[in-house]
């Protein structure tokens, strides 16, 4: 849960210096871990605890700085194993393996309840800083956020400085409702580039505006990269953050509408399992940038967690031939798609918008997949692992058919 802090000038100075010192300490722990090969949380804490304390940190921030460094190396190891830095011997992989992890001077810092306390009635927080305990720092949030903070806040909160503003990311442990049975079937959702999401009901979330913004930003990035000055690099960083926020906001908006519609009509949501699509799909060079810049996984993850909070079942289906198969008769042929937007079955003559036909095929497969997965008592909720191990591992709840 993100809330915006409202510090005065003195409090802002203290928070900035606190964040800077915590990240200096985390960088020191990271270098020591890299030099010694000691990267476990407990063993690294034994190694550098005294050194970080001498920098001016108290006990709990010291422990959190160590854990942040250890966690970064655990993430790096997992990414190397998954091949996200390229194959063995590649320049990017060699650079990642041969240099210690570094943290920005304003990177986020976690605080537990010993360092940070909330006064929800007064809408203030008090926090440890390098200048001592700082109290009565105001924050603002919506009434819905305040309700969630009051009822479900647990554990750590992250102090974040972004875009010139201060935020706290509070962890809320919200119990999920039982996943209900899809009494009216499934809402099929076809994800794409020309149209971001199209439902089996015929609702189209067009991608024209999003793609126009991305094309404009890509042209600007090319000009700035060619220029290569310090000011150009600053603008590139700013542009990157702005585009990511724009894409996330768009995906939040679409996913909320899809889940609300499924909940209102007592249906589940059926999605294509698009894992590895970037490796499978062959496109011309001008189209590759559009494909690789579109966040398939993010939209899917947003749908999954919003659906889980609403008790809406989600299933992932095989995407093979959903665009070429006829929803009326089942005939599959490339000739059924004369162009990107048109579907005309060569067998029965059925005609429809191509993405709506694909979404209906997905809905049909979703209903069949749900029935199969719930036929046995030990069936698992079919969520791909990339959408979150906690969701992927969770067994289905609620009554079984």
């Amino acid at each position: 849960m993100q809330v915006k802090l409202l510090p005065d000038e003195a409090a802002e100075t203290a928070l900035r210096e606190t964040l800077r010192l915590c990240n200096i300490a985390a960088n020191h722990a990271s270098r020591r871990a890299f030099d010694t090969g000691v990267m476990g949380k407990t063993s690294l804490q034994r190694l550098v605890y005294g050194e970080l304390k001498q920098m001016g940190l108290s006990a709990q921030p010291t422990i959190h700085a160590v854990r942040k460094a250890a966690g970064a190396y655990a993430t790096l190891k997992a990414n190397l194993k998954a091949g996200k830095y390229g194959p063995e011997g590649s320049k990017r992989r060699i650079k990642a393996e041969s240099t210690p992890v570094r943290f920005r001077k304003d990177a986020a810092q976690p605080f537990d309840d010993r360092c940070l306390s909330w006064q929800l009635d007064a809408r203030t927080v008090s926090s440890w800083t390098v200048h001592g305990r700082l109290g009565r720092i105001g924050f603002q949030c919506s009434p819905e956020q305040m309700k969630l903070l009051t009822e479900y806040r647990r554990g750590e909160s992250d102090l974040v400085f972004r875009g010139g503003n201060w935020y706290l990311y509070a962890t809320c442990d919200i119990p999920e409702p039982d996943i209900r049975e899809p009494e009216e079937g499934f809402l099929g959702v076809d994800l794409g580039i020309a149209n971001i999401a199209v439902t089996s009901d015929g609702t189209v979330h067009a991608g024209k505006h999003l793609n126009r913004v991305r094309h404009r930003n890509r042209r600007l990035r090319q000009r700035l990269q060619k220029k290569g000055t310090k000011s150009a690099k600053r603008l590139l960083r700013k542009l990157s953050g702005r585009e990511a926020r724009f894409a996330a906001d768009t995906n939040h908006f679409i996913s909320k509408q899809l889940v609300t519609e499924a909940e209102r009509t007592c249906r589940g949501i059926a999605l294509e399992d698009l894992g590895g699509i970037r490796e499978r799909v062959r496109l011309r060079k001008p189209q590759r940038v559009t494909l690789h810049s579109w966040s398939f996984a993010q939209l899917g993850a947003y749908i999954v967690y919003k659906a889980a909070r609403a008790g809406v079942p989600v299933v992932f289906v095989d995407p093979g031939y959903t665009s070429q198969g006829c929803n009326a008769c089942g005939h599959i042929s490339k000739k059924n798609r004369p162009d990107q937007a048109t579907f005309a079955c060569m067998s029965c003559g059925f005609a429809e918008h191509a993405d709506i036909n694909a979404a209906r095929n997905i809905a049909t497969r979703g209903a069949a997949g749900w029935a199969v997965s719930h036929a046995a008592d030990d069936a698992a909720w079919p969520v791909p692992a990339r959408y979150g191990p906690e969701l992927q591992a969770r067994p289905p709840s609620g009554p079984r058919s």
Side-chain angles (χ1 to χ4, degrees):
M1 180 65 62
Q2 174 183 292
V3 299
K4 185 177 181 180
L5 291 179
L6 306 171
D8 57 24
E9 186 175 348
E12 184 172 2
T13 300
L15 291 175
R16 192 184 303 275
E17 292 181 8
T18 299
L19 211 56
R20 178 176 175 275
L21 181 59
C22 288
N23 284 298
I24 289 175
N27 278 324
H28 177 78
S30 173
R31 286 192 298 271
R32 293 282 280 139
F34 181 80
D35 293 339
T36 62
V38 177
M39 297 179 182
K41 292 180 181 178
T42 304
S43 53
L44 183 59
Q45 182 177 323
R46 292 195 190 102
L47 179 67
V48 301
Y49 182 82
E51 299 170 6
L52 300 190
K53 285 278 288 182
Q54 291 179 358
M55 293 182 177
L57 294 180
S58 61
Q60 289 303 115
T62 298
I63 293 172
H64 285 299
V66 173
R67 290 178 178 175
K68 184 162 73 170
Y73 279 106
T75 301
L76 175 63
K77 184 179 179 180
N79 287 337
L80 289 171
K81 185 177 181 180
K84 293 186 178 180
Y85 287 94
E88 292 279 355
S90 64
K91 290 184 178 179
R92 188 181 178 201
R93 188 182 183 105
I94 291 173
K95 182 178 180 181
E97 293 175 326
S98 60
T99 56
V101 173
R102 296 192 63 184
F103 300 93
R104 303 186 319 273
K105 64 180 180 179
D106 58 352
Q109 177 67 20
F111 289 98
D112 58 23
D113 287 343
R114 296 182 183 180
C115 302
L116 182 80
S117 59
W118 295 75
Q119 297 83 44
L120 296 177
D121 293 338
R123 294 208 176 199
T124 61
V125 296
S126 63
S127 174
W128 171 88
T129 70
V130 293
H131 298 304
R133 193 80 181 184
L134 201 64
R136 298 183 180 179
I137 304 174
F139 68 86
Q140 62 183 20
C141 62
S142 68
E144 181 183 355
Q145 288 176 314
M146 178 60 71
K147 181 180 178 181
L148 293 175
L149 283 172
T150 303
E151 296 179 3
Y152 302 118
R153 192 194 66 80
R154 301 287 186 277
E156 296 179 354
S157 303
D158 290 346
L159 178 64
V160 178
F161 181 71
R162 191 188 72 234
N165 296 310
W166 292 91
Y167 301 91
L168 280 175
Y169 290 179
T171 302
C172 293
D173 186 8
I174 302 175
E176 294 175 2
D178 289 342
I179 301 300
R180 57 171 176 75
E181 287 293 323
E183 299 173 1
E184 302 297 327
F186 279 80
L187 178 69
V189 182
D190 179 59
L191 305 180
I193 296 175
N195 295 310
I196 301 175
V198 178
T199 71
S200 52
D201 291 343
T203 303
V204 178
H205 297 276
K208 185 176 180 180
H209 172 62
L210 177 61
N211 290 329
R212 184 167 61 246
V213 170
R214 284 181 168 164
H215 291 160
R216 183 175 67 244
N217 288 338
R218 185 170 73 247
R219 291 192 296 269
L220 178 57
R221 277 198 306 271
Q222 290 172 345
R223 291 199 300 269
L224 293 173
Q225 288 168 349
K226 187 175 181 180
K227 194 171 184 180
T229 61
K230 289 184 178 180
S231 60
K233 291 178 181 178
R234 283 197 301 270
L235 286 174
L236 278 170
R237 287 193 294 271
K238 186 176 181 180
L239 177 65
S240 174
R242 183 191 306 156
E243 186 173 2
R245 291 191 296 274
F246 172 72
D249 180 71
T250 301
N251 286 334
H252 271 302
F253 177 79
I254 294 173
S255 60
K256 184 176 180 179
Q257 285 198 333
L258 294 174
V259 172
T260 301
E261 178 63 17
E263 184 181 18
R264 183 185 68 82
T265 56
C266 299
R267 288 182 288 178
I269 297 176
L271 299 170
E272 296 173 288
D273 184 359
L274 297 177
I277 188 172
R278 290 176 172 84
E279 291 74 27
R280 294 197 311 267
V281 176
R282 298 179 181 274
L283 296 172
R284 291 177 295 150
K285 191 172 182 179
Q287 296 173 311
R288 293 174 196 164
V289 175
T290 303
L291 174 68
H292 286 267
S293 66
W294 194 78
S295 48
F296 294 96
Q298 187 186 67
L299 178 55
Y302 286 175
I303 292 173
V304 166
Y305 92 77
K306 292 179 192 296
R309 287 183 59 181
V312 174
V314 177
V315 296
F316 289 83
V317 304
D318 182 1
Y321 304 106
T322 53
S323 298
Q324 299 176 14
C326 177
N327 182 249
C329 70
H331 176 67
I332 298 175
S333 173
K334 288 184 178 180
K335 295 180 181 179
N336 289 347
R337 292 285 303 274
D339 56 57
Q340 191 277 330
T342 305
F343 182 90
C345 182
M346 303 297 292
S347 176
C348 68
F350 173 77
E352 181 59 276
H353 189 285
D355 292 339
I356 296 176
N357 175 75
R360 289 174 179 170
N361 285 331
I362 294 168
T364 302
R365 293 187 185 184
W370 177 265
V372 171
S373 67
H374 284 64
D377 288 339
D378 59 349
W381 203 41
V383 180
R386 67 181 178 281
Y387 292 104
E390 68 284 352
L391 289 172
Q392 195 273 339
R394 185 188 60 196
S397 56
R400 293 186 181 276
S401 58

